[in-house]
Amino acid sequence: MTPHPYAFLALFLAVAVAFPLVMLSVSRVWFWLFQPPKPSTIKNGIYECGLAPTGDSRIQFKAHYYLYAIVFLIFDVEVLFLLPFAVAFTGLSAGALFAMLVFILLLVEGLVWAWHRGHLNWK
Amino acid sequence: MTATLERLPLLVRDWITGFFPEPVRWLVSGLLAIVAILAVFGLYFAYLTLAERKFLGRFQNRPGPNRTGPFGLLQPFADAVKALTKEDIVPQAADKLLHFLAPCLVVAFGLISFAVIPFGRYLIPVDLDAAVLYFFAAGVSSELALFMAGWASHNKYSMISAMRALAQLISYELPLLLAVVPVIMLSGTLSTSKIVVAQGGWTFGIIPHWNVLTPWGFAGFFIFMIAAVAETNRSPFDLPEAESELIAGHLTEYSGFKYALFFMAEYFGMSALCGLGVTLFLGGWQAPIDILQVVPSYVWFMVKLSCVIFCLMWVRATLLRLRIDQLTRLAWKFLVPLGLINLGNAAFWHLSADWSGPLQIVRWAISAAVIVIPFVLIGRTLSSGLAPRTYRYAT
C-alpha cells in the first residue's frame, strides 16, 4: 500500500513537533527528580543588564518595518507567480514570453518606483 | 559492489519493514526515513558546532575546544548533557505558552524542510512535484517562530531582535527566490530529484554539467548563498543576535534546553538551505568526475554540503557585521536587481541553446557580460559617495 505523498509530510511534521517536546520532557523529568526549581523574583525577572527593567518592552513598531513588509508582500506574490511560468518556460511560444516580459517589467517598475521614492532607504 | 553500497540504506529499510505486517509497512518505512534524518543530521549538527568552534579557533590562532576527549571530540556530548541539566528559567512577565512553543516550532520547521532534499540517487524522503515551493514554505515559517520567541520574552532586547530578524528575513527572501527561478526555468520542473538528474553528465568525462558552471548559474549561486547566510542569521548578517548590542537577541530569556533547541534549529536550517543550494546549483548527489561514480551518491552529497558549510564558517571568521541600513540596501538595491537581470540571462541561455562552434564562445561572453556589467555598475552606484573604510589602529 502506497499512501499519498502528503501522508508522509504529515507524519514528518508530527515527528518534528514531537522531537523537541520529548527532549524538553526529558529535561523536565531530570528537574523533577534531581533539581527542584528555586524561583525568585530577581531570578525570574526580565534581564536588562542587571538593573530593574524600566517601561514596557511591547512598544510600537517603527513604521519603516511596516513599509518593508508591504513591499515584500507585493514582490513575494509576484515572484510566486513567476514559478508556474518558470516550470512551463521551456515549452513557451514567443507571444507567451513577451507577455511574461511585460509582467516582469511591471515587477521592475515597482522596484524602480519604490527606489525612486526612497522607500528602500533605511531611515 | 557500488550498486549494493548505493542501495544499502534502502536494503536496510526493506529488511526492517519486512518484520511488520503489510498494512503498517508504509508507516514503518516513513518513520525509518524520519528517524534516519534525525539521527544523521542530529549527529551532523553536533559535530558541526564542534567543527565551527575548532575552525574559528584556528582562524583566530587559538586551539579551540580540546579538553573533552581526544581533540575535543566529545565536546558536543558534554554540551548536550549541560544543556539538558541546566535549570529552565521562564521570566514571570513572559507569555508562558508562546515562550514554550517558540523553540519547539522553530525546530519543527527547521526539520520538515529536509523532507524534499535528495540525499542520494535513491534517497529522497518524499518526491514531491512542487518540492522547491514546499521547501520555501517550510523554511519561511521559522520566521514566525523567531518573532514568537522575541515577543513572548517581554524583553526589550528580544523585541528589537525580533523586529530586526523579521526585516532581515523578508528582505532576503526575495533574492533567495529570484536566484532559484532560473534553475527552475531551465530544468522545467519544481521537483528537486528531477533538477539533480538534469545536471547529470560530464563533458570529456571531467567537466560536470552543474548549474554553477554556467554564467547564470554562477550568478544565481552567488545570490543564493548570500541570501542563505542572511536567512540563517549568520555572521556577517547576524544583526538579530548581535552579541555586543542585544545580549543574545531573541535568545536572551531562554535557558537550558530551550536555548539548545534554538541552536539546533539554526544549524538544521543552515544544513537544509545549503543542502538546497547543493541540490540546485552544485549537482546534488552527482559525482564531480565520471570515474568517481564508484563512491556512493550520498557520500558526494555530504561532502559537497560540508564544503559549502565550511565556506560559511570561513565567511563568519572573515567579515564584519553589517549595519541594518547596509543590510537592507544590499538586499533591495543590489541582489534583487541582479536576480531580475539573471532571469533574462537564463532566458537568453535557453534561447541560444543551439548555437554551436565559435558562436558558443559568443554565447558565453554575452551571458557573462549580462551579469558582470550590472554587477559593476550597480556596485559602483551604490558605493559612490562612501569613503573606503579606514582603520585607525590596525595597519
Short mmCIF file of all heavy atoms in Angstrom, two decimals, chain A residues 3-20 22, chain B residues 9-10 12-13 16-17 24-44 107-117 119 123-126 134 264 268:
data_model
loop_
_atom_site.label_atom_id
_atom_site.label_comp_id
_atom_site.label_asym_id
_atom_site.label_seq_id
_atom_site.Cartn_x
_atom_site.Cartn_y
_atom_site.Cartn_z
N PRO A 3 0.61 5.14 0.28
CA PRO A 3 -0.32 6.24 0.52
C PRO A 3 0.10 7.48 -0.25
O PRO A 3 1.13 7.52 -0.93
CB PRO A 3 -0.18 6.45 2.03
CG PRO A 3 1.20 6.05 2.31
CD PRO A 3 1.58 4.99 1.33
N HIS A 4 -0.70 8.50 -0.14
CA HIS A 4 -0.42 9.78 -0.78
C HIS A 4 0.88 10.36 -0.22
O HIS A 4 1.16 10.20 0.97
CB HIS A 4 -1.61 10.71 -0.46
CG HIS A 4 -1.69 11.87 -1.38
ND1 HIS A 4 -1.10 13.06 -1.10
CD2 HIS A 4 -2.26 12.00 -2.59
CE1 HIS A 4 -1.33 13.89 -2.10
NE2 HIS A 4 -2.03 13.27 -3.02
N PRO A 5 1.72 11.01 -1.06
CA PRO A 5 2.97 11.56 -0.53
C PRO A 5 2.77 12.54 0.62
O PRO A 5 3.63 12.65 1.49
CB PRO A 5 3.61 12.25 -1.73
CG PRO A 5 2.61 12.23 -2.80
CD PRO A 5 1.65 11.15 -2.51
N TYR A 6 1.60 13.22 0.63
CA TYR A 6 1.39 14.18 1.70
C TYR A 6 1.20 13.50 3.05
O TYR A 6 1.41 14.11 4.09
CB TYR A 6 0.19 15.07 1.40
CG TYR A 6 0.45 16.07 0.30
CD1 TYR A 6 -0.57 16.79 -0.29
CD2 TYR A 6 1.75 16.28 -0.16
CE1 TYR A 6 -0.31 17.69 -1.29
CE2 TYR A 6 2.00 17.17 -1.16
CZ TYR A 6 0.97 17.88 -1.73
OH TYR A 6 1.23 18.77 -2.72
N ALA A 7 0.83 12.20 3.04
CA ALA A 7 0.72 11.46 4.30
C ALA A 7 2.07 11.42 4.99
O ALA A 7 2.18 11.58 6.20
CB ALA A 7 0.21 10.05 4.04
N PHE A 8 3.13 11.23 4.18
CA PHE A 8 4.47 11.23 4.76
C PHE A 8 4.81 12.59 5.36
O PHE A 8 5.40 12.68 6.43
CB PHE A 8 5.49 10.86 3.68
CG PHE A 8 6.91 10.93 4.16
CD1 PHE A 8 7.45 9.90 4.90
CD2 PHE A 8 7.70 12.04 3.91
CE1 PHE A 8 8.74 9.96 5.38
CE2 PHE A 8 8.99 12.12 4.38
CZ PHE A 8 9.51 11.07 5.12
N LEU A 9 4.41 13.67 4.65
CA LEU A 9 4.71 15.01 5.17
C LEU A 9 4.01 15.24 6.50
O LEU A 9 4.60 15.81 7.42
CB LEU A 9 4.28 16.07 4.15
CG LEU A 9 5.14 16.16 2.90
CD1 LEU A 9 4.64 17.29 2.03
CD2 LEU A 9 6.58 16.38 3.26
N ALA A 10 2.76 14.76 6.61
CA ALA A 10 2.03 14.92 7.87
C ALA A 10 2.73 14.16 8.98
O ALA A 10 2.90 14.66 10.10
CB ALA A 10 0.60 14.41 7.69
N LEU A 11 3.19 12.94 8.64
CA LEU A 11 3.93 12.13 9.61
C LEU A 11 5.20 12.85 10.04
O LEU A 11 5.54 12.93 11.23
CB LEU A 11 4.26 10.78 8.96
CG LEU A 11 4.89 9.72 9.83
CD1 LEU A 11 3.87 9.24 10.83
CD2 LEU A 11 5.37 8.56 8.99
N PHE A 12 5.91 13.40 9.06
CA PHE A 12 7.16 14.12 9.34
C PHE A 12 6.89 15.31 10.26
O PHE A 12 7.61 15.52 11.24
CB PHE A 12 7.77 14.60 8.02
CG PHE A 12 9.25 14.85 8.10
CD1 PHE A 12 10.04 14.72 6.97
CD2 PHE A 12 9.86 15.19 9.29
CE1 PHE A 12 11.40 14.93 7.04
CE2 PHE A 12 11.22 15.41 9.35
CZ PHE A 12 11.99 15.28 8.23
N LEU A 13 5.82 16.05 9.97
CA LEU A 13 5.51 17.21 10.80
C LEU A 13 5.21 16.76 12.23
O LEU A 13 5.68 17.38 13.19
CB LEU A 13 4.33 17.98 10.21
CG LEU A 13 3.98 19.27 10.94
CD1 LEU A 13 5.13 20.24 10.88
CD2 LEU A 13 2.74 19.91 10.37
N ALA A 14 4.46 15.66 12.36
CA ALA A 14 4.11 15.17 13.70
C ALA A 14 5.38 14.80 14.46
O ALA A 14 5.56 15.19 15.63
CB ALA A 14 3.18 13.97 13.57
N VAL A 15 6.29 14.07 13.80
CA VAL A 15 7.53 13.67 14.49
C VAL A 15 8.38 14.90 14.80
O VAL A 15 8.97 15.01 15.87
CB VAL A 15 8.32 12.66 13.63
CG1 VAL A 15 9.64 12.34 14.28
CG2 VAL A 15 7.51 11.40 13.45
N ALA A 16 8.41 15.85 13.85
CA ALA A 16 9.24 17.04 14.04
C ALA A 16 8.74 17.86 15.22
O ALA A 16 9.55 18.46 15.94
CB ALA A 16 9.24 17.88 12.77
N VAL A 17 7.43 17.89 15.44
CA VAL A 17 6.91 18.62 16.60
C VAL A 17 7.15 17.81 17.87
O VAL A 17 7.49 18.36 18.93
CB VAL A 17 5.41 18.95 16.42
CG1 VAL A 17 4.83 19.52 17.69
CG2 VAL A 17 5.22 19.92 15.28
N ALA A 18 7.03 16.48 17.76
CA ALA A 18 7.19 15.63 18.93
C ALA A 18 8.63 15.62 19.43
O ALA A 18 8.87 15.54 20.63
CB ALA A 18 6.74 14.20 18.61
N PHE A 19 9.59 15.70 18.50
CA PHE A 19 11.01 15.60 18.86
C PHE A 19 11.43 16.62 19.92
O PHE A 19 11.91 16.23 21.00
CB PHE A 19 11.84 15.71 17.58
CG PHE A 19 13.31 15.84 17.79
CD1 PHE A 19 14.04 14.78 18.29
CD2 PHE A 19 13.96 17.02 17.48
CE1 PHE A 19 15.40 14.89 18.48
CE2 PHE A 19 15.32 17.14 17.68
CZ PHE A 19 16.04 16.07 18.18
N PRO A 20 11.22 17.94 19.71
CA PRO A 20 11.59 18.89 20.78
C PRO A 20 10.78 18.68 22.05
O PRO A 20 11.31 18.86 23.16
CB PRO A 20 11.32 20.26 20.18
CG PRO A 20 10.47 20.04 19.02
CD PRO A 20 10.74 18.66 18.52
N VAL A 22 9.69 15.84 23.29
CA VAL A 22 10.29 14.72 24.02
C VAL A 22 11.55 15.17 24.74
O VAL A 22 11.76 14.88 25.92
CB VAL A 22 10.59 13.56 23.04
CG1 VAL A 22 11.47 12.51 23.71
CG2 VAL A 22 9.30 12.94 22.56
N PRO B 9 21.14 1.84 2.16
CA PRO B 9 20.11 2.34 3.09
C PRO B 9 18.73 1.77 2.79
O PRO B 9 17.97 1.44 3.70
CB PRO B 9 20.13 3.85 2.86
CG PRO B 9 21.45 4.13 2.27
CD PRO B 9 21.82 2.93 1.46
N LEU B 10 18.42 1.60 1.48
CA LEU B 10 17.11 1.07 1.11
C LEU B 10 16.99 -0.39 1.53
O LEU B 10 15.94 -0.82 2.01
CB LEU B 10 16.91 1.17 -0.40
CG LEU B 10 16.78 2.57 -0.97
CD1 LEU B 10 16.37 2.49 -2.42
CD2 LEU B 10 15.75 3.35 -0.19
N VAL B 12 18.52 -1.88 4.03
CA VAL B 12 18.32 -1.92 5.48
C VAL B 12 16.87 -1.60 5.81
O VAL B 12 16.22 -2.28 6.62
CB VAL B 12 19.28 -0.92 6.17
CG1 VAL B 12 18.95 -0.82 7.65
CG2 VAL B 12 20.72 -1.34 5.98
N ARG B 13 16.34 -0.57 5.12
CA ARG B 13 14.96 -0.19 5.39
C ARG B 13 13.99 -1.33 5.06
O ARG B 13 13.12 -1.67 5.85
CB ARG B 13 14.59 1.04 4.56
CG ARG B 13 13.25 1.61 4.91
CD ARG B 13 12.78 2.62 3.89
NE ARG B 13 12.46 1.96 2.64
CZ ARG B 13 12.15 2.60 1.52
NH1 ARG B 13 12.18 3.91 1.50
NH2 ARG B 13 11.86 1.96 0.42
N ILE B 16 14.12 -4.12 7.63
CA ILE B 16 13.40 -3.85 8.89
C ILE B 16 11.90 -3.86 8.66
O ILE B 16 11.15 -4.45 9.44
CB ILE B 16 13.86 -2.51 9.50
CG1 ILE B 16 15.34 -2.61 9.85
CG2 ILE B 16 13.05 -2.16 10.73
CD1 ILE B 16 15.91 -1.34 10.40
N THR B 17 11.44 -3.23 7.57
CA THR B 17 9.98 -3.19 7.35
C THR B 17 9.43 -4.59 7.11
O THR B 17 8.24 -4.83 7.33
CB THR B 17 9.60 -2.30 6.16
OG1 THR B 17 10.47 -2.60 5.08
CG2 THR B 17 9.67 -0.85 6.52
N VAL B 24 0.88 -1.81 7.94
CA VAL B 24 1.61 -0.72 8.61
C VAL B 24 2.99 -0.50 7.99
O VAL B 24 3.77 0.28 8.50
CB VAL B 24 1.75 -0.98 10.12
CG1 VAL B 24 0.41 -0.97 10.80
CG2 VAL B 24 2.50 -2.26 10.40
N ARG B 25 3.30 -1.19 6.88
CA ARG B 25 4.67 -1.08 6.33
C ARG B 25 5.01 0.33 5.88
O ARG B 25 6.11 0.80 6.09
CB ARG B 25 4.83 -2.06 5.17
CG ARG B 25 5.29 -3.39 5.69
CD ARG B 25 5.71 -4.31 4.61
NE ARG B 25 5.80 -5.66 5.18
CZ ARG B 25 5.86 -6.75 4.46
NH1 ARG B 25 5.85 -6.68 3.15
NH2 ARG B 25 5.95 -7.92 5.05
N TRP B 26 4.03 1.00 5.25
CA TRP B 26 4.35 2.36 4.77
C TRP B 26 4.65 3.28 5.95
O TRP B 26 5.54 4.11 5.89
CB TRP B 26 3.20 2.92 3.93
CG TRP B 26 1.97 3.27 4.72
CD1 TRP B 26 0.96 2.44 5.04
CD2 TRP B 26 1.68 4.53 5.32
NE1 TRP B 26 0.03 3.10 5.79
CE2 TRP B 26 0.44 4.39 5.99
CE3 TRP B 26 2.33 5.77 5.35
CZ2 TRP B 26 -0.15 5.43 6.69
CZ3 TRP B 26 1.74 6.80 6.04
CH2 TRP B 26 0.51 6.64 6.70
N LEU B 27 3.92 3.05 7.06
CA LEU B 27 4.14 3.87 8.25
C LEU B 27 5.54 3.62 8.81
O LEU B 27 6.29 4.56 9.12
CB LEU B 27 3.08 3.51 9.29
CG LEU B 27 2.97 4.44 10.49
CD1 LEU B 27 2.41 5.78 10.06
CD2 LEU B 27 2.10 3.84 11.56
N VAL B 28 5.93 2.32 8.88
CA VAL B 28 7.25 1.98 9.42
C VAL B 28 8.35 2.53 8.51
O VAL B 28 9.32 3.13 8.99
CB VAL B 28 7.37 0.45 9.58
CG1 VAL B 28 8.78 0.09 10.01
CG2 VAL B 28 6.37 -0.06 10.58
N SER B 29 8.17 2.39 7.21
CA SER B 29 9.23 2.87 6.31
C SER B 29 9.31 4.40 6.38
O SER B 29 10.40 4.96 6.35
CB SER B 29 9.00 2.36 4.90
OG SER B 29 8.21 3.24 4.18
N GLY B 30 8.16 5.07 6.53
CA GLY B 30 8.19 6.52 6.69
C GLY B 30 8.89 6.92 7.97
O GLY B 30 9.76 7.80 7.98
N LEU B 31 8.55 6.23 9.07
CA LEU B 31 9.18 6.55 10.35
C LEU B 31 10.68 6.30 10.30
O LEU B 31 11.47 7.07 10.85
CB LEU B 31 8.55 5.71 11.46
CG LEU B 31 7.24 6.23 12.02
CD1 LEU B 31 6.69 5.27 13.04
CD2 LEU B 31 7.46 7.59 12.65
N LEU B 32 11.08 5.21 9.60
CA LEU B 32 12.52 4.91 9.50
C LEU B 32 13.24 6.04 8.78
O LEU B 32 14.34 6.45 9.20
CB LEU B 32 12.73 3.60 8.74
CG LEU B 32 12.58 2.34 9.57
CD1 LEU B 32 12.73 1.12 8.68
CD2 LEU B 32 13.63 2.31 10.67
N ALA B 33 12.63 6.54 7.70
CA ALA B 33 13.27 7.64 6.96
C ALA B 33 13.43 8.85 7.88
O ALA B 33 14.49 9.49 7.91
CB ALA B 33 12.43 8.00 5.75
N ILE B 34 12.39 9.14 8.67
CA ILE B 34 12.44 10.32 9.54
C ILE B 34 13.50 10.12 10.63
O ILE B 34 14.29 11.02 10.92
CB ILE B 34 11.06 10.58 10.16
CG1 ILE B 34 10.07 10.92 9.05
CG2 ILE B 34 11.12 11.70 11.16
CD1 ILE B 34 8.64 10.87 9.49
N VAL B 35 13.51 8.90 11.22
CA VAL B 35 14.49 8.64 12.27
C VAL B 35 15.91 8.72 11.71
O VAL B 35 16.82 9.26 12.35
CB VAL B 35 14.22 7.25 12.91
CG1 VAL B 35 15.37 6.84 13.80
CG2 VAL B 35 12.94 7.30 13.70
N ALA B 36 16.09 8.23 10.47
CA ALA B 36 17.42 8.31 9.85
C ALA B 36 17.83 9.77 9.68
O ALA B 36 18.98 10.14 10.00
CB ALA B 36 17.41 7.59 8.51
N ILE B 37 16.90 10.61 9.22
CA ILE B 37 17.23 12.04 9.04
C ILE B 37 17.58 12.65 10.39
O ILE B 37 18.58 13.37 10.53
CB ILE B 37 16.05 12.78 8.40
CG1 ILE B 37 15.90 12.36 6.96
CG2 ILE B 37 16.26 14.28 8.47
CD1 ILE B 37 14.68 12.94 6.30
N LEU B 38 16.75 12.33 11.42
CA LEU B 38 17.00 12.89 12.75
C LEU B 38 18.36 12.45 13.27
O LEU B 38 19.12 13.26 13.82
CB LEU B 38 15.91 12.43 13.72
CG LEU B 38 14.66 13.26 13.79
CD1 LEU B 38 13.70 12.67 14.78
CD2 LEU B 38 15.03 14.66 14.23
N ALA B 39 18.69 11.16 13.10
CA ALA B 39 19.95 10.65 13.64
C ALA B 39 21.13 11.25 12.89
O ALA B 39 22.07 11.78 13.51
CB ALA B 39 19.97 9.13 13.53
N VAL B 40 21.07 11.20 11.54
CA VAL B 40 22.22 11.68 10.75
C VAL B 40 22.41 13.18 10.97
O VAL B 40 23.52 13.64 11.29
CB VAL B 40 22.02 11.37 9.26
CG1 VAL B 40 23.06 12.08 8.42
CG2 VAL B 40 22.09 9.89 9.03
N PHE B 41 21.31 13.95 10.84
CA PHE B 41 21.50 15.39 10.95
C PHE B 41 21.63 15.85 12.40
O PHE B 41 22.22 16.90 12.66
CB PHE B 41 20.41 16.13 10.19
CG PHE B 41 20.74 16.19 8.73
CD1 PHE B 41 20.27 15.22 7.87
CD2 PHE B 41 21.58 17.16 8.24
CE1 PHE B 41 20.61 15.24 6.54
CE2 PHE B 41 21.93 17.18 6.90
CZ PHE B 41 21.44 16.22 6.05
N GLY B 42 21.13 15.04 13.35
CA GLY B 42 21.40 15.35 14.75
C GLY B 42 22.89 15.25 15.05
O GLY B 42 23.49 16.15 15.65
N LEU B 43 23.49 14.16 14.58
CA LEU B 43 24.93 13.96 14.79
C LEU B 43 25.72 15.00 13.99
O LEU B 43 26.73 15.54 14.46
CB LEU B 43 25.30 12.55 14.35
CG LEU B 43 26.46 11.92 15.08
CD1 LEU B 43 26.12 11.79 16.55
CD2 LEU B 43 26.77 10.55 14.50
N TYR B 44 25.22 15.26 12.77
CA TYR B 44 25.89 16.24 11.91
C TYR B 44 25.87 17.61 12.60
O TYR B 44 26.88 18.33 12.61
CB TYR B 44 25.17 16.29 10.58
CG TYR B 44 25.91 17.04 9.49
CD1 TYR B 44 27.08 16.53 8.97
CD2 TYR B 44 25.42 18.23 8.99
CE1 TYR B 44 27.76 17.21 7.97
CE2 TYR B 44 26.09 18.91 8.00
CZ TYR B 44 27.25 18.39 7.49
OH TYR B 44 27.92 19.07 6.53
N VAL B 107 12.33 24.38 15.82
CA VAL B 107 12.99 23.12 15.46
C VAL B 107 12.15 22.33 14.47
O VAL B 107 12.67 21.79 13.48
CB VAL B 107 13.25 22.27 16.72
CG1 VAL B 107 13.70 20.88 16.36
CG2 VAL B 107 14.29 22.92 17.58
N ALA B 108 10.82 22.30 14.71
CA ALA B 108 9.95 21.53 13.82
C ALA B 108 10.04 22.07 12.39
O ALA B 108 10.20 21.30 11.43
CB ALA B 108 8.51 21.59 14.32
N PHE B 109 9.98 23.40 12.23
CA PHE B 109 10.03 23.97 10.89
C PHE B 109 11.40 23.78 10.26
O PHE B 109 11.52 23.63 9.05
CB PHE B 109 9.67 25.45 10.93
CG PHE B 109 8.23 25.71 11.23
CD1 PHE B 109 7.85 26.71 12.09
CD2 PHE B 109 7.25 24.94 10.64
CE1 PHE B 109 6.52 26.94 12.37
CE2 PHE B 109 5.92 25.15 10.91
CZ PHE B 109 5.55 26.16 11.78
N GLY B 110 12.45 23.79 11.11
CA GLY B 110 13.78 23.53 10.56
C GLY B 110 13.88 22.11 10.04
O GLY B 110 14.51 21.85 9.02
N LEU B 111 13.24 21.18 10.74
CA LEU B 111 13.36 19.77 10.36
C LEU B 111 12.57 19.43 9.11
O LEU B 111 13.06 18.68 8.26
CB LEU B 111 12.86 18.89 11.51
CG LEU B 111 13.89 18.47 12.55
CD1 LEU B 111 13.22 17.71 13.65
CD2 LEU B 111 14.96 17.61 11.90
N ILE B 112 11.32 19.97 9.00
CA ILE B 112 10.49 19.49 7.90
C ILE B 112 11.01 19.91 6.53
O ILE B 112 10.62 19.32 5.54
CB ILE B 112 9.00 19.90 8.05
CG1 ILE B 112 8.87 21.39 8.19
CG2 ILE B 112 8.33 19.17 9.19
CD1 ILE B 112 7.44 21.86 8.14
N SER B 113 11.93 20.90 6.50
CA SER B 113 12.47 21.24 5.16
C SER B 113 13.31 20.11 4.59
O SER B 113 13.51 20.05 3.39
CB SER B 113 13.31 22.51 5.21
OG SER B 113 13.19 23.16 6.42
N PHE B 114 13.81 19.22 5.45
CA PHE B 114 14.65 18.13 4.95
C PHE B 114 13.86 17.13 4.10
O PHE B 114 14.45 16.32 3.41
CB PHE B 114 15.29 17.37 6.11
CG PHE B 114 16.46 18.06 6.72
CD1 PHE B 114 16.40 18.58 7.99
CD2 PHE B 114 17.63 18.20 6.00
CE1 PHE B 114 17.48 19.23 8.54
CE2 PHE B 114 18.71 18.85 6.54
CZ PHE B 114 18.64 19.36 7.82
N ALA B 115 12.51 17.21 4.18
CA ALA B 115 11.69 16.16 3.56
C ALA B 115 11.85 16.09 2.05
O ALA B 115 11.58 15.05 1.46
CB ALA B 115 10.22 16.39 3.90
N VAL B 116 12.27 17.19 1.40
CA VAL B 116 12.29 17.16 -0.06
C VAL B 116 13.70 17.21 -0.65
O VAL B 116 13.86 17.37 -1.85
CB VAL B 116 11.48 18.33 -0.65
CG1 VAL B 116 10.01 18.11 -0.40
CG2 VAL B 116 11.93 19.63 -0.09
N ILE B 117 14.73 17.07 0.20
CA ILE B 117 16.09 17.16 -0.33
C ILE B 117 16.57 15.79 -0.76
O ILE B 117 16.52 14.84 0.02
CB ILE B 117 17.02 17.77 0.72
CG1 ILE B 117 16.62 19.21 0.95
CG2 ILE B 117 18.46 17.70 0.28
CD1 ILE B 117 17.41 19.90 1.99
N PHE B 119 19.07 13.21 -0.94
CA PHE B 119 20.38 12.99 -0.33
C PHE B 119 21.24 12.06 -1.17
O PHE B 119 22.44 12.02 -1.01
CB PHE B 119 20.22 12.41 1.08
CG PHE B 119 19.44 13.30 1.99
CD1 PHE B 119 18.16 12.98 2.36
CD2 PHE B 119 19.98 14.48 2.44
CE1 PHE B 119 17.43 13.81 3.19
CE2 PHE B 119 19.26 15.31 3.27
CZ PHE B 119 17.99 14.97 3.64
N LEU B 123 17.82 8.15 -2.41
CA LEU B 123 17.47 8.60 -1.07
C LEU B 123 16.79 9.96 -1.09
O LEU B 123 17.44 10.99 -0.97
CB LEU B 123 18.73 8.72 -0.21
CG LEU B 123 19.47 7.44 0.14
CD1 LEU B 123 20.63 7.77 1.03
CD2 LEU B 123 18.54 6.48 0.81
N ILE B 124 15.49 9.96 -1.31
CA ILE B 124 14.75 11.21 -1.14
C ILE B 124 13.54 10.88 -0.29
O ILE B 124 12.79 9.96 -0.62
CB ILE B 124 14.39 11.86 -2.49
CG1 ILE B 124 13.56 13.10 -2.28
CG2 ILE B 124 13.71 10.90 -3.43
CD1 ILE B 124 13.51 14.02 -3.46
N PRO B 125 13.37 11.58 0.85
CA PRO B 125 12.29 11.20 1.75
C PRO B 125 10.93 11.20 1.05
O PRO B 125 10.18 10.25 1.17
CB PRO B 125 12.36 12.26 2.85
CG PRO B 125 13.78 12.70 2.83
CD PRO B 125 14.22 12.63 1.42
N VAL B 126 10.62 12.28 0.31
CA VAL B 126 9.37 12.28 -0.43
C VAL B 126 9.59 13.08 -1.71
O VAL B 126 10.13 14.18 -1.68
CB VAL B 126 8.19 12.82 0.41
CG1 VAL B 126 8.46 14.18 0.96
CG2 VAL B 126 6.91 12.82 -0.38
N TYR B 134 7.47 23.79 -1.60
CA TYR B 134 7.28 23.27 -0.26
C TYR B 134 8.44 23.68 0.63
O TYR B 134 8.25 24.10 1.77
CB TYR B 134 7.16 21.74 -0.30
CG TYR B 134 7.28 21.09 1.05
CD1 TYR B 134 6.19 21.01 1.89
CD2 TYR B 134 8.49 20.58 1.50
CE1 TYR B 134 6.30 20.44 3.14
CE2 TYR B 134 8.62 20.02 2.75
CZ TYR B 134 7.52 19.95 3.56
OH TYR B 134 7.64 19.40 4.80
N MET B 264 19.98 24.26 17.67
CA MET B 264 19.73 23.12 16.81
C MET B 264 18.98 23.57 15.56
O MET B 264 19.34 23.21 14.44
CB MET B 264 18.91 22.11 17.60
CG MET B 264 18.95 20.73 17.09
SD MET B 264 17.87 19.72 18.09
CE MET B 264 18.97 19.09 19.28
N PHE B 268 20.09 23.19 11.78
CA PHE B 268 19.24 22.42 10.86
C PHE B 268 18.87 23.29 9.67
O PHE B 268 18.94 22.86 8.52
CB PHE B 268 17.96 21.96 11.56
CG PHE B 268 18.15 20.74 12.42
CD1 PHE B 268 17.29 20.48 13.46
CD2 PHE B 268 19.16 19.84 12.16
CE1 PHE B 268 17.44 19.35 14.25
CE2 PHE B 268 19.33 18.72 12.95
CZ PHE B 268 18.47 18.48 13.99
#
